[in-house]
Amino acid sequence: MQPTRELIGSSQPDEVCTKQMRAIVQDEYGSADVLELRTVNRPEVAENEVLIEVHAAGVDRGVWHLMTGLPYLVRLAGFGIIKPKNPVLGLDVSGRVVAIGGEVTRFRPGDEVFGIGKGSYAHYVAADENKLAKKPTNATFEQAAVAAVSGITALEALTDVGRLQADQRVLIVGASGGVGTFAVQLAHALGAQVTAVSGPHMADTVRSIGADHVLDYTREDFAHGETRYDLILDIGGRNSISRLRSVLTSKGTLVIVGGEGGNRVTGGSGRQVRAMMLSPFIGQRLTTFISSLHYTNIERLADHIESGAVVPTIGRRFDLADVPSAIRHLESANSSGKSVIVVRAAPANSHA
Ligand SMILES: NC(=O)c1ccc[n+]([C@@H]2O[C@H](COP(=O)([O-])OP(=O)(O)OC[C@H]3O[C@@H](n4cnc5c(N)ncnc54)[C@H](OP(=O)(O)O)[C@@H]3O)[C@@H](O)[C@H]2O)c1
């Protein structure tokens, strides 16, 4: 076993000396009221991990599930039955590598990275090197921080799972949120004709990122139109499978990405189960998936950002101490893109 290699200093000298840091911590599952900004020990990195000096961290639905422990399936998935195993909240991260474990081969201290960390609402976070990629040079830390979880999900839903072809018609239900804003841009970049279903006041935002047609779900019913779609991404709103199928071509594909609500045990996953059971008996393909956070997918996403085809859509900005407000904002909805937690001001020589 090789020792951790720590080669460069930090912009937080006090923390380097004391090996402590500020972080958003929870001792129990619950609402945003359980979150506290505290001083805790900096994480130790395992052999396959890097330590990141966090610049920014994204706020997504996954974080809400980890905070609340709901649905209970989340707890059974290894995050802690009674209380969170990792008390520091946060997944999406961007920042600078400051130390690496003995077996790390893809990164060096000083690299600017983005991806998935093990508690990113903190000044430092440990991350598996296989869940990180180099930050696109044209993206700010804030843009990179909101990209990984939502961007990979959108990319996989459209390509690996949805098998989208150029010129196909795609319907994106839930287009103005975290996953949706990536899905609209990626589908447009892949040459599809994009119809987006979004909330009120979001039409201009969604059109500006590549939607050919926009429907406001509070005023227009996508199921009443004449158009039939080759691919539907069902991201928000928990529409019934029969409604979604009614606007799918006879050989079309429905990909159920998510949908909040449902009971406390299984959440909204009942629709996914029903869709998978029905699919073998009909001409349409009904499917779902859990996104793979492997770096190969993060790098694919980074290529789309680097090319300029995708620009991560940032909703609101919050300081580290304001994470509870950011989560409450997520719960209140009606915001486009993803909120970002700004942990450190960008260095003067960085594209941020
Ligand atoms: N399968 C996976 O691996 C995976 C990965 C990531 C996320 N997810 C899941 O995907 C879902 C979406 O995540 P997200 O981060 O994109 O959430 P989000 O940012 O909250 O976006 C949800 C979107 O759905 C819209 N919406 C709400 N009601 C609607 C309706 N009746 N019709 C059409 N659109 C409606 C919302 O609009 P308003 O803001 O106007 O309400 C919002 O734009 C969540 O359930 C999440 O857990 C799954």
Side-chain angles (χ1 to χ4, degrees), residues 6 10 12-23 38-44 51 122-125 344:
E6 187 163 348
S10 158
Q12 304 280 324
D14 293 348
E15 291 182 339
V16 169
C17 293
T18 63
K19 301 253 178 192
Q20 290 196 312
M21 66 175 189
R22 300 288 276 168
R38 280 195 220 145
T39 299
V40 298
N41 288 334
R42 260 169 46 184
E44 298 286 331
L51 185 68
H123 282 161
Y124 295 88
V125 64
R344 277 183 174 79

Side-chain angles (χ1 to χ4, degrees), residues 61 65 153 173-174 176-179 197 199 217 235-237 257-260 289-291 333-335:
R61 289 276 160 188
H65 292 295
T153 304
V173 185
S176 54
V179 179
V197 182
Y217 68 79
I235 301 170
V257 177
E260 295 302 307
F289 72 110
I290 293 176
S291 57
N334 289 324
S335 71

Side-chain angles (χ1 to χ4, degrees), residues 59-62 65 149-150 153 173-181 197-200 202 217 222 234-239 256-260 272 288-292 330 332-338:
V59 182
D60 75 293
R61 289 276 160 188
H65 292 295
V149 171
S150 304
T153 304
V173 185
S176 54
V179 179
T181 50
V197 182
S198 68
M202 298 300 173
Y217 68 79
F222 67 81
D234 177 46
I235 301 170
R238 292 182 73 219
N239 284 279
I256 302 181
V257 177
E260 295 302 307
Q272 281 90 323
T288 187
F289 72 110
I290 293 176
S291 57
S292 160
L330 178 79
S332 71
N334 289 324
S335 71
S336 57
K338 279 172 71 172

